[in-house]
């Protein structure tokens, strides 16, 4: 009975979100509350929700400060010198341009926001591609590959969901993946190089003569107000120190980003009015995503404390042969990227992954291994191809012009 109630809870939340009947926040709160009450848990259901909120509070808080921090870093113009340097180095060589685009997209994706990456990298590089007659589809492909890889950052939305749903830390989920991610980055740059070779052969010698093109700054007057070009090296150093603290696991992630945000504000915007304005600019994105994380506390709290997840996992174990169950991580890794076409990140990480992870534990597979396997593909390398995320819409709009 508890297993059936759990499947009803998960399926209802997933369907409501995917069918756009509800946003993730009300769905993740109301559905488990209703099923908990219908399951006979009475007022204890609300205590379960509070326990869930307590368990996700550090991650939700970290997401708020991380979003604000990287928003400030980007607005301060930290990546502008990198863009200009790339323009000077690539000249009119399509191979260098493609590799430079890939590196640029990786750098721009520091804030973990795919839409922002496209909105910065596309306007910056598209005039160069158009001037040389390079295909815009090549530009979109390169940016999508880099953004997909960098979306695995521990402060990005998918990492937050994975860590919250299984109570993991960045050291548990992300640090062991550093070498695979570095190898993935090298492979992506190799693909970029190949695409550049293809563009060079297609274009021939036309449009390739002459010096390098200049970067065109398209910032509005309001955006220029927050740019601090002289502080770019300091901001980059601050980013490196912050990421280093996450990898070292010496400082709690939430504390690291709280300190990093405070330092970034004081360095770049010593005036109180400027601090208030820049935080207001990014508060919407920070609170929207953090709201989803905290709403997940209701789902996690109810399903964990009522025993729904355990019962659902036992139901799966009863029908899956042991010989197959021992390879749960491999199975989840294989379906991770294609699952991006079926599930939005909230539905998968909050509804599907906990059940798969618990089933894996029953077969002797650590939950963190299942999480890592899913994390590499689902809405990371998979998000640029998924119709369920808005981050892939900007390249769709420019590719075929």
């Amino acid at each position: 009975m508890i297993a059936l109630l759990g499947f009803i809870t998960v399926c209802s939340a997933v369907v409501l979100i995917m069918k756009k009947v509800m946003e993730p926040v009300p769905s993740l709160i109301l559905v488990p509350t209703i099923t908990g009450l219908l399951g006979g848990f009475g007022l204890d259901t609300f205590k379960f929700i509070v326990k869930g909120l307590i368990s996700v509070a550090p991650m939700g808080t970290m997401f708020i400060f991380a979003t604000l921090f990287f928003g400030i870093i980007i607005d301060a113009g930290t990546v502008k010198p990198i863009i200009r340097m790339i323009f000077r180095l690539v000249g009119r060589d399509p191979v260098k341009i493609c590799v430079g685009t890939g590196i640029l997209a990786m750098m721009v994706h520091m804030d973990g926001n795919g839409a922002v990456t496209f909105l910065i990298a596309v306007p910056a590089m598209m005039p160069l591609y158009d001037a040389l007659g390079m295909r815009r589809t090549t530009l979109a492909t390169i940016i999508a590959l880099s953004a997909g890889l960098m979306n695995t950052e521990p402060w990005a939305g998918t990492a937050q969901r994975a860590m919250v749903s299984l109570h993991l830390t960045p050291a548990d989920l992300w640090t062991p993946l550093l070498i695979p991610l570095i190898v993935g980055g090298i492979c992506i740059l190799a693909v970029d190089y190949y695409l550049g070779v293809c563009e060079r052969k297609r274009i021939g010698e036309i449009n390739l003569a002459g010096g390098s093109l200049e970067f065109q700054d398209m910032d509005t007057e309001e955006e220029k107000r927050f740019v601090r070009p002289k502080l770019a090296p300091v901001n980059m150093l601050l980013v490196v120190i912050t990421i280093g603290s996450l990898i070292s696991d010496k400082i709690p992630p939430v504390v690291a980003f709280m300190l990093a945000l405070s330092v970034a504000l004081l360095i770049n915007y010593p005036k109180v009015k400027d601090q208030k304005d820049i935080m207001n600019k990014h508060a919407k994105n920070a609170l929207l995503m953090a709201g989803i994380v905290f709403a997940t506390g209701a789902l996690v709290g109810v399903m964990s404390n009522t025993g729904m997840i355990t019962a659902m996992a036992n139901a799966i174990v009863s029908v899956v042969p042991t010989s197959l169950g021992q390879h749960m991580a491999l199975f989840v890794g294989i379906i991770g990227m294609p699952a991006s076409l079926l599930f939005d990140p909230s539905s998968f990480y909050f509804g599907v992954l906990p059940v798969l992870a618990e089933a894996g534990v029953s077969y002797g597979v650590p939950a963190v291994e299942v999480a890592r396997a899913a994390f590499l593909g689902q809405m990371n390398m998979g998000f640029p191809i998924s119709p369920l995320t808005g981050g892939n819409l900007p390249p769709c709009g420019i590719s075929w012009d």
Side-chain angles (χ1 to χ4, degrees):
M1 176 61 184
I2 295 298
L4 177 60
L5 194 63
F7 284 115
I8 292 174
T9 301
V10 172
C11 293
S12 298
V14 170
V15 170
L16 288 172
I17 294 172
M18 293 184 64
K19 293 293 184 180
K20 304 297 183 183
V21 177
M22 289 186 186
E23 285 293 303
V25 170
S27 177
L28 294 171
I29 295 173
L30 293 177
V31 172
T33 301
I34 293 171
T35 55
L37 293 173
L38 293 177
F41 295 97
L43 297 180
D44 285 341
T45 301
F46 305 117
K47 296 180 181 179
F48 298 156
I49 292 175
V50 173
K51 289 181 179 179
L53 287 174
I54 294 174
S55 69
V56 305
M59 290 300 168
T61 307
M62 183 189 99
F63 194 90
I64 293 174
F65 285 96
T67 302
L68 292 173
F69 170 67
F70 282 105
I72 289 172
I73 290 297
I74 295 296
D75 280 2
T78 306
V79 299
K80 291 290 178 66
I82 299 174
I83 298 176
R84 293 189 176 92
M85 182 181 68
I86 290 175
F87 264 72
R88 289 195 300 267
L89 293 176
V90 300
R92 290 174 175 263
D93 184 350
V95 175
K96 293 181 180 179
I97 291 171
C98 288
V99 174
T101 302
I103 295 174
L104 171 64
M106 292 180 188
M107 297 295 296
V108 172
H109 202 75
M110 286 190 301
D111 67 342
N113 191 319
V116 170
T117 300
F118 287 115
L119 290 172
I120 292 177
V122 169
M125 300 304 295
M126 192 164 63
L128 183 57
Y129 278 68
D130 289 346
L132 301 181
M134 296 172 65
R135 290 173 293 193
R136 292 185 174 184
T137 49
T138 300
L139 171 62
T141 300
I142 292 172
I143 296 176
L145 286 172
S146 294
L149 173 74
M150 297 304 292
N151 209 52
T152 58
E153 294 160 330
W155 50 84
T158 50
Q160 294 296 307
R161 292 175 174 90
M163 290 187 287
V164 167
S165 65
L166 298 181
H167 306 290
L168 303 173
T169 66
D172 296 328
L173 176 68
W174 189 72
T175 303
L177 295 175
L178 273 175
I179 293 178
L181 292 175
I182 291 172
V183 173
I186 295 172
C187 292
I188 287 175
L189 293 178
V191 173
D192 297 343
Y193 181 90
Y194 170 75
L195 292 174
V197 171
C198 292
E199 286 291 337
R200 181 192 285 168
K201 290 180 179 179
R202 188 181 66 85
I203 297 173
E205 297 301 321
I206 301 175
N207 292 334
L208 300 186
S212 60
L213 298 175
E214 292 296 325
F215 167 66
Q216 299 177 1
D217 194 335
M218 302 178 67
D219 286 348
T220 63
E221 289 301 319
E222 178 64 18
E223 290 170 335
K224 290 179 180 178
R225 172 191 166 195
F226 296 110
V227 175
R228 302 291 185 269
K230 294 182 180 180
L231 294 175
V234 178
N235 287 325
M236 187 56 67
L237 178 61
L238 182 58
V239 171
V240 172
I241 294 173
T242 304
I243 295 176
S245 68
L246 291 177
I247 297 174
S248 68
D249 201 31
K250 300 296 184 182
I251 303 176
V254 60
V255 176
F257 279 112
M258 290 174 71
L259 294 173
L261 172 64
S262 301
V263 173
L265 279 172
L266 292 176
I267 290 176
N268 292 281
Y269 309 107
K271 294 182 180 179
V272 174
K273 184 180 186 303
D274 290 340
Q275 294 176 12
K276 179 180 178 181
D277 290 344
I278 194 68
M279 291 187 69
N280 283 338
K281 182 179 179 182
H282 298 285
K284 179 180 178 181
N285 288 335
L287 292 178
L288 280 177
M289 290 306 302
I292 294 177
V293 173
F294 284 111
T296 304
L299 181 69
V300 172
V302 171
M303 295 193 67
S304 297
N305 290 280
T306 59
M308 289 183 191
I309 291 179
T310 301
M312 294 165 68
N314 291 336
I316 294 176
V317 169
S318 66
V319 297
V320 176
T322 303
S323 59
L324 296 179
Q326 294 174 346
H327 303 288
M328 181 63 73
L330 176 61
F331 169 74
V332 173
I334 292 173
I335 69 169
M337 183 171 178
S340 301
L341 299 171
L342 302 175
F343 299 98
D344 70 281
S346 296
S347 299
F348 181 85
Y349 284 104
F350 297 145
V352 179
L353 181 59
V355 179
L356 295 176
E358 187 68 23
V361 170
S362 301
Y363 291 110
V365 181
V368 68
E369 291 188 8
V370 177
R372 291 177 193 143
F375 176 66
L376 288 174
Q378 213 286 334
M379 280 301 173
N380 286 321
M381 289 309 299
F383 102 84
I385 66 169
S386 174
L388 301 176
T389 176
N392 62 356
L393 297 181
C396 291
I398 61 97
S399 295
W400 308 106
D401 289 346

